[in-house]
């Protein structure tokens, strides 16, 4: 595995295949936790695990992340179009990218995709609230009081929410690295603005590549509701759902192996030998 810098981003590289998969993490602003997926996919693909741009002198926007992803794709060193595998917010960014650069990506795999409307978002929040017991709520209040650093607090809160979002996880180290709370807020605020203005998901009609949603039935993000909304713009959208599975299928005891085999088989079928076409 190697590390490299692309402007304000870090990219971890795995594997040596001519077929390239770009992994896009969620959060926004929570890099590193997709490392287990990267290591597994590296058995069959060359994997670029993108650590998205951190906050800086200018507010982060969806457009900035799309441009950064395009810069990475143009520099990935192969003529083959890459696949993009995004998780949560990363799945949303994958769609945003493919809508602007439809000829630059072979296919999109959306794992635990985030929400594009208030109905789905309200459903997610209600599900999370219903699952939280007093102990969990007390821990969240404790973090708010006792962890002054906003980046550390975001990471800690993410660990608590993972409990709510999951069904039955295997014991595994949380590989999330330094979070970016400010970048999280700036990026998500811009995504909500673009949804309010009708940009998303309407522009996804431009996407021409194969797309699959891979979702857990226990995920508070309502997979079928999100699917139905996206299918209006992305009629080629496929949907695969697992029972006994939450927001992190690669960590779920009941589905981990099937998740990996399903994802890798789908990528192999849909990563054609078409030449990369910058636009």
């Amino acid at each position: 595995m190697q590390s490299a810098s692309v402007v304000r981003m870090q990219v971890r590289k795995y594997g040596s295949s001519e077929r390239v998969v770009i992994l896009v993490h969620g959060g926004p602003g929570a890099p590193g936790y997709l490392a287990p997926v990267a290591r597994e996919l590296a058995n069959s693909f060359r994997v670029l695990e993108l650590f998205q741009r951190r906050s800086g002198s200018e507010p982060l926007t969806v457009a900035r992340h799309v441009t950064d992803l395009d810069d990475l794709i143009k520099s990935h060193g192969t003529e083959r179009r890459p696949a993009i595998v995004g998780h949560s917010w990363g799945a949303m960014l994958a769609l945003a990218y493919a809508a602007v650069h439809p000829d630059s990506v072979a296919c999109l795999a959306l794992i635990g995709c985030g929400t594009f409307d208030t109905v789905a978002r309200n459903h997610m929040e209600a599900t999370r609230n219903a699952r939280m017991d007093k102990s969990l709520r007390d821990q969240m209040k404790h973090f708010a009081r006792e962890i002054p650093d906003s980046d550390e607090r975001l990471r800690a809160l993410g660990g608590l929410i993972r409990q709510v979002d999951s069904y039955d996880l295997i014991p595994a180290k949380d590989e999330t690295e330094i979070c970016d709370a400010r970048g999280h807020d700036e990026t998500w605020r811009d995504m909500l603005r673009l949804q309010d203005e009708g940009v998303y998901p309407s522009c996804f009609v431009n996407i021409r590549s194969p797309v699959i949603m891979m979702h857990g039935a226990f995920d508070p993000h309502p997979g079928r509701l999100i699917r139905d909304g996206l299918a209006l713009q992305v009629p080629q959208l496929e949907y695969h759902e697992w029972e006994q599975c939450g927001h992190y299928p690669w960590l779920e005891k009941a589905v981990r192996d099937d998740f990996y085999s399903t994802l890798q088989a789908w990528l192999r079928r849909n990563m054609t030998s078409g030449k990369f076409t910058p636009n």
Side-chain angles (χ1 to χ4, degrees), residues 2-3 9 45 47 52 86 124 130 157 176 191-192 200 205 225 240 253 261 267-268:
Q2 299 174 314
S3 291
M9 302 177 295
F45 308 97
V47 181
Q52 293 157 40
M124 176 192 71
L157 289 172
T176 305
M191 170 54 77
L192 293 181
Y200 299 130
V205 70
L225 196 57
H240 191 104
K253 290 179 181 178
S261 62
L267 289 172
R268 290 190 192 99

Side-chain angles (χ1 to χ4, degrees), residues 14-211:
Y14 309 73
S16 58
S17 171
E18 291 185 358
R19 296 178 297 184
V20 175
V21 172
I22 298 177
L23 278 185
V24 186
H25 65 75
Y33 69 88
L34 285 176
V37 181
R39 290 191 291 267
E40 186 71 24
L41 291 181
N43 294 320
S44 302
F45 308 97
R46 180 153 65 96
V47 181
L48 307 180
E49 182 193 1
L50 171 65
F51 284 36
Q52 293 157 40
R53 179 184 294 260
R54 295 181 64 83
S55 55
S57 59
E58 297 181 359
L60 284 176
T61 64
V62 177
R64 176 71 265 176
H65 288 298
V66 167
T67 298
D68 286 344
L69 185 51
D70 192 48
D71 288 344
L72 174 63
I73 287 175
K74 287 176 179 177
S75 66
H76 67 55
T78 178
E79 292 185 343
R80 290 174 180 258
R81 292 176 298 165
I84 301 180
V85 177
H87 175 248
S88 197
W89 146 255
M92 303 172 77
L93 177 55
L95 288 164
Y97 176 81
V100 178
H101 302 281
D103 296 320
S104 297
V105 60
C107 55
L108 305 176
L110 316 175
I111 306 169
C113 187
T115 59
F116 286 98
D117 59 74
T118 55
V119 173
R121 207 149 37 247
N122 290 340
H123 186 286
M124 176 192 71
E125 292 171 357
T127 301
R128 280 177 168 169
N129 286 333
R131 292 178 184 175
M132 288 186 185
D133 58 19
K134 183 178 183 301
S135 173
L136 196 60
R137 293 180 192 278
D138 287 345
Q139 288 184 70
M140 295 181 73
K141 292 177 182 177
H142 172 78
F143 288 166
R145 293 191 308 266
E146 303 298 328
I147 306 179
D149 183 274
S150 59
D151 295 342
E152 293 180 7
R153 187 164 61 247
L154 177 62
R155 189 181 191 280
L157 289 172
L160 287 182
I161 294 298
R162 178 175 291 198
Q163 299 176 37
V164 175
D165 287 358
S166 302
Y167 186 82
D168 186 17
L169 300 182
I170 62 173
K173 175 186 176 183
D174 181 2
E175 298 188 53
T176 305
E177 300 211 4
I178 298 173
C179 290
D180 181 11
R182 179 181 153 199
H184 169 94
D185 293 344
E186 291 174 352
T187 299
W188 189 243
R189 188 161 51 243
D190 191 53
M191 170 54 77
L192 293 181
R193 175 186 66 82
L194 291 165
Q195 290 183 18
D196 289 342
E197 293 176 1
V199 175
Y200 299 130
S202 62
C203 71
F204 298 158
V205 70
N206 297 328
I207 298 173
R208 296 192 287 271
S209 57
V211 185

